[in-house]
């Protein structure tokens, strides 16, 4: 996991996403890999489909080159790799996420139906299924606000504990304070709203944050209990934050359901970069039936590699893609 991967959108590249990914690669001392995916043609035999694919590839290569030029202007010494891959963008990036430290994408703010079901949807599938933390840059981080703050949503679950672990590390890297927020929804039952309930949630929040100070003594941590709807309160709390970190939870058949209602709502409401953090892989694969099904079924939707456009440190190949008996990529190649 020696890379930060940025999904480059040839239709509308998100400059804030590119800047965030480049800065994060510098902070963590990792390679920045710029990846663009060219969707397959629906009818590969038609002349207009072939011409359309050629135009898409040309636009993808131009977008990669422009993104690389901008990154080099920002951080001339940063190690950069570029890669064009033939395949559905969400599938391509999901395949890479297993061996990626952090995956970064911009948000094109699609409508809800397009976000959930269209081939161009990237944000919802990635945040629901990626094996690594996913950063969605819908709005720039608030770097001019002092003190700099990272906000993390906490609810006592295993998924929120994974978010806390990531958030405190991120706050340390950013020399920022960490604001841990537990949102307590208002109940229709009066006895649930008393001082006893508040005390219990304070205890649970303190337990969730225990150990953070020992691991990162340089990070100042504040703990807050807020009343109201989780999406609304976390969005309000992070209005001037560097980022908002939440765990990924939920079960279901399609990606939006598996993401969880709070994280899904924040994709449309967060006023700063939103980071969704999955459970560690060992916990997911042993405790989540959805991951067990995925493991049994295998991956049959792997993308077809395109010619490499750049160089950089590569992870070991995980199998040959193509006809049986075909040679794999040569040493040093960025081909997948």
């Amino acid at each position: 996991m020696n890379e930060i991967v940025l999904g480059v959108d040839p239709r509308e590249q998100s400059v804030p996403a590119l800047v965030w990914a480049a800065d994060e690669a510098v902070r963590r001392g990792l390679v920045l890999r710029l990846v663009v995916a060219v969707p397959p043609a629906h009818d590969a035999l038609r002349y207009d489909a072939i011409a359309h694919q050629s135009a898409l590839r040309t636009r993808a290569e131009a977008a990669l080159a422009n993104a690389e030029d901008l990154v080099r202007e920002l951080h001339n010494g940063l190690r950069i790799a570029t890669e064009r891959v033939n395949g559905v963008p969400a599938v391509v990036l999901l395949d890479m996420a297993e061996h990626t430290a952090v995956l970064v994408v911009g948000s094109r703010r699609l409508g809800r139906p397009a976000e959930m079901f269209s081939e161009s949807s990237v944000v919802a599938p990635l945040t629901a299924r990626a094996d690594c933390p996913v950063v969605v840059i819908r709005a720039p981080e608030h770097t001019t606000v002092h003190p700099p703050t990272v906000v993390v949503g906490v609810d006592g679950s295993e998924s929120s504990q994974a978010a806390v672990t990531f958030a405190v590390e991120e706050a340390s890297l950013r020399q920022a304070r960490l604001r841990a927020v537990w949102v307590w929804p208002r109940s229709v039952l009066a006895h649930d709203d008393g001082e006893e309930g508040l005390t219990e949630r304070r205890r649970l929040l303190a337990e969730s944050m225990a150990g953070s100070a020992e691991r990162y003594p340089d990070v100042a941590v504040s703990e807050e209990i807020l009343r109201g709807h989780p999406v609304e309160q976390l969005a309000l709390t992070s209005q001037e934050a560097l980022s908002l970190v939440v765990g990924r939870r939920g079960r279901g058949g399609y990606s939006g359901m598996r993401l969880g209602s709070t994280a899904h709502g924040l994709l449309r409401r967060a006023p700063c970069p939103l980071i969704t953090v999955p459970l560690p892989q060992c916990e997911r694969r042993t405790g989540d039936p959805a991951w067990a099904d995925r493991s049994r079924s295998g991956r049959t939707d792997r993308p077809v590699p395109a010619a490499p456009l750049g160089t950089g440190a590569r992870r070991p190949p995980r199998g040959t893609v193509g006809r049986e008996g075909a040679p794999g990529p040569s040493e040093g190649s960025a081909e997948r």
Side-chain angles (χ1 to χ4, degrees):
M1 296 187 181
N2 63 340
E3 296 181 338
I4 303 289
V5 170
L6 170 69
V8 175
D9 188 343
R11 291 162 294 187
E12 184 182 351
Q13 174 56 39
S14 170
V15 174
L18 190 148
V19 171
W20 197 98
D23 290 346
E24 189 73 1
V26 171
R27 282 190 290 267
R28 293 178 178 266
L30 301 178
V31 173
L32 175 62
R33 181 168 295 275
L34 309 175
V35 178
V36 64
V38 179
H42 293 291
D43 187 350
L45 299 180
R46 291 178 53 184
Y47 174 79
D48 57 347
I50 296 174
H52 179 64
Q53 279 296 102
S54 178
L56 286 179
R57 286 192 292 269
T58 300
R59 187 163 57 179
E61 291 170 4
L64 269 182
N66 291 336
E68 183 179 8
D69 288 344
L70 180 54
V71 171
R72 293 200 184 280
E73 289 183 13
L74 295 172
H75 303 288
N76 189 38
L78 178 61
R79 293 174 295 165
I80 304 172
T82 62
E83 189 169 0
R84 175 174 63 81
V85 183
N86 296 329
V88 177
V91 175
V92 168
L93 294 173
L94 281 170
D95 187 65
M96 289 184 167
E98 187 174 354
H99 297 278
T100 295
V102 179
L103 181 58
V104 185
V105 291
S107 173
R108 291 191 291 116
R109 306 190 183 193
L110 296 174
R112 189 177 180 87
E115 179 185 85
M116 301 308 307
F117 302 113
S118 78
E119 185 180 68
S120 62
S121 174
V122 172
V123 168
L126 290 183
T127 50
R129 298 174 55 200
D131 290 333
C132 67
V134 175
V135 186
V136 178
I137 312 294
R138 184 175 183 271
E141 57 188 1
H142 301 283
T143 57
T144 60
V145 178
H146 294 280
T149 303
V150 172
V151 177
V152 60
V154 185
D155 64 5
S157 65
E158 289 182 330
S159 59
S160 81
Q161 198 60 53
V164 168
T165 300
F166 184 92
V168 69
E169 179 186 11
E170 186 69 13
S172 179
L173 288 170
R174 304 297 297 270
Q175 298 182 333
R177 65 171 181 151
L178 180 62
R179 188 177 179 186
V181 178
W182 184 302
V183 181
W184 181 14
R186 298 192 180 279
S187 174
V188 295
L189 302 176
H191 65 81
D192 286 341
D193 285 343
E195 187 64 29
E196 182 178 343
L198 178 60
T199 301
E200 174 66 8
R201 282 159 179 81
R202 284 175 175 162
R203 181 187 67 80
L204 293 172
L205 176 56
E207 288 181 357
S208 297
M209 301 307 297
S212 297
E214 288 78 6
R215 293 194 302 271
Y216 296 93
D218 58 315
V219 177
V221 180
S222 64
E223 301 175 3
E224 303 174 45
I225 306 291
L226 301 179
R227 301 303 307 270
H229 192 281
V231 173
E232 293 177 358
Q233 291 300 320
L234 288 173
L236 285 171
T237 303
S238 58
Q239 281 187 335
E240 297 184 339
L242 293 173
S243 60
L244 170 60
V245 186
V246 294
R248 189 181 78 200
R249 61 187 306 181
R251 300 286 189 271
Y254 71 89
S255 61
M257 292 173 63
R258 198 182 305 160
L259 178 55
S261 59
T262 298
H264 188 263
L266 288 169
L267 287 176
R268 306 176 65 83
R269 294 284 301 275
C272 65
L274 174 68
I275 306 175
T276 56
V277 183
L279 286 171
Q281 290 191 29
C282 58
E283 296 181 42
R284 274 205 308 274
R285 298 189 191 284
T286 57
D288 189 337
W291 281 93
D293 292 342
R294 176 174 166 181
S295 176
R296 286 195 297 270
S297 64
R299 290 178 183 244
T300 60
D301 52 358
R302 293 174 61 84
V304 178
L309 296 176
T311 58
R314 291 297 289 151
R315 55 188 176 274
R318 287 178 283 135
T320 300
V321 181
R323 62 180 176 82
E324 186 176 357
S330 61
E331 184 176 356
S333 170
E335 192 168 43
R336 302 188 69 252

